[in-house]
Amino acid sequence: MGSLEEIQMPQNGIFHAGITALADASKYNRDLRHLNFNDNICSEIGAVAIADVLQHLQNLEVLNLGDCLVRTKGALALAEALRDGHSKLKELVLGFNEIDNEGAIKIVESLEKKELLTKLDLNGNQLGEEGCELVKGMMKGIGKEDAIGSLSEDEGENEDDEDEEEEDEDENEIEEEEQDEEKSETNKVVVPAVECTTEEFLAEPTAGKLMGLGNDRVSRLLDHLSNKEIESYVDAFIKVSSVVKSANDHLIEISSECVDEILVKGFRVAAENGTTSILSNSFLVHLGLIKSEDKKIKPPNDLSGCLLVLERAVQQRYFPRETRDVIRMFLSSRLSKSIEQTGMIKHQLMQTLYKFQ
């Protein structure tokens, strides 16, 4: 082989070993336009094998892996492989593959720059009602709402097998009690206050130091920011929100209270000076979505607290649509390692951002 433009092998009962061999052979056919393994036993292993060779198939127009048991792991591998290049891709069929929310989101994100895309089939997977709405919203957000096919046969969020479900029912009350106890204990966590100055907190932020700023912490932070450059407001937001390391409701409330006041003033100053775009850009820099010329700016290694507090902030009336749209666009297309590690916190933020389109 070497000159093939189409490989059509649907419903052949091919297992992952065969799919892997075929995938490996296909990489020598640089002009391949159609690759169709629909309704074979591809599995995650075969999907990963296909993903590994996609870099060699930049002329691909149609990739059909519907009903192939690709599952979420396979979808994630395919999404990563399709993110860059593949400008000629027109159709991607991944229906009925037991793909969950995470996999579907990554697939949509990988298609943002595919200008020729006319079809994305994710029907019959395990997205759930909210997941389906999120996928539709994301496709609309990247200007490809007409490409997404029907999701009417979605199987709902992934559930365990019947035997496991029965066992879950037996243990349900015990689990709920344990979860309530854990949540209660988490919410009762008292963060010891560490007395400090505002400068000391911003230089090395911790939850204890935030508490140590006292009940007038908001006014102390705002006083510090007076007459500072507009980017300082985003830097302060990062410092305050980064101390949130767990589901401590009390700490989240205190952090969010400070952030709201910081951003209210920041956006007001930006509007008065015509620097809202600079403030928006500063969010991207501090979240590691774009590089900064200032080498001193380094996003926290753990951005979970920042995204958790940001998800609350973007819902507030003071948060400009312009800034919200910029964050959504870059989160959809450029992910730093730190953001990737936040998992479902990032997806919750994306879901909230898409609601405001």
Side-chain angles (χ1 to χ4, degrees), residues 75-263:
L76 292 173
L78 292 168
E80 182 63 27
L82 290 171
R83 181 179 292 279
D84 299 319
H86 298 96
S87 59
K88 298 181 181 180
L89 188 66
K90 297 178 180 179
E91 298 183 13
L92 179 59
V93 180
L94 292 172
F96 300 92
N97 268 308
E98 298 183 9
I99 299 172
D100 68 12
N101 240 349
E102 181 185 9
I105 289 170
K106 291 297 185 184
I107 288 293
V108 174
E109 290 175 349
S110 73
L111 300 176
E112 181 177 13
K113 298 179 182 179
K114 307 300 183 281
E115 302 298 332
L116 301 181
L117 188 76
T118 59
K119 179 180 179 179
L120 171 62
D121 183 358
L122 287 172
N123 201 14
N125 284 297
Q126 298 173 342
L127 311 185
E129 185 175 349
E130 289 188 4
C132 289
E133 291 303 314
L134 177 57
V135 165
K136 291 176 183 177
M138 290 180 67
M139 288 294 285
K140 182 178 179 181
I142 62 175
K144 295 177 172 58
E145 63 268 34
D146 293 336
I148 186 67
S150 171
L151 297 174
S152 61
E153 296 183 68
D154 185 77
E155 296 181 357
E157 294 185 50
N158 187 26
E159 297 180 358
D160 297 325
D161 295 331
E162 289 184 8
D163 291 342
E164 293 178 350
E165 287 176 356
E166 291 177 3
E167 185 177 336
D168 285 344
E169 288 177 3
D170 294 337
E171 298 179 355
N172 190 46
E173 290 185 8
I174 297 175
E175 289 180 354
E176 287 182 356
E177 289 175 4
E178 291 176 348
Q179 289 169 1
D180 288 342
E181 288 176 5
E182 289 175 4
K183 182 176 181 181
S184 178
E185 289 301 315
T186 300
N187 292 342
K188 289 178 182 178
V189 171
V190 177
V191 178
V194 178
E195 189 172 343
C196 64
T197 65
T198 306
E199 289 76 11
E200 287 172 337
F201 166 74
L202 292 173
E204 193 174 348
T206 66
K209 289 181 180 179
L210 181 62
M211 302 300 292
L213 290 177
N215 293 331
D216 60 342
R217 63 180 64 88
V218 171
S219 60
R220 292 175 66 176
L221 287 165
L222 293 179
D223 288 343
H224 176 82
L225 292 169
S226 295
N227 301 318
K228 290 288 197 303
E229 293 182 353
I230 195 66
E231 294 92 340
S232 298
Y233 289 92
V234 178
D235 182 65
F237 150 71
I238 291 290
K239 298 289 178 60
V240 171
S241 60
S242 66
V243 306
V244 177
K245 302 294 185 182
S246 64
N248 185 326
D249 289 347
H250 182 55
L251 185 56
I252 292 172
E253 288 298 330
I254 289 177
S255 177
S256 294
E257 178 186 359
C258 294
V259 164
D260 283 341
E261 295 301 323
I262 289 170
L263 294 184

Side-chain angles (χ1 to χ4, degrees), residues 311-325:
E311 193 270 335
R312 294 166 65 117
V314 298
Q315 301 180 59
Q316 307 307 313
R317 295 180 64 182
Y318 68 76
F319 209 97
R321 179 174 181 176
E322 171 190 339
T323 305
R324 192 186 294 128
D325 289 347

Side-chain angles (χ1 to χ4, degrees), residues 11 48 126 144 267:
Q11 297 180 321
V48 170
Q126 298 173 342
K144 295 177 172 58
F267 283 123

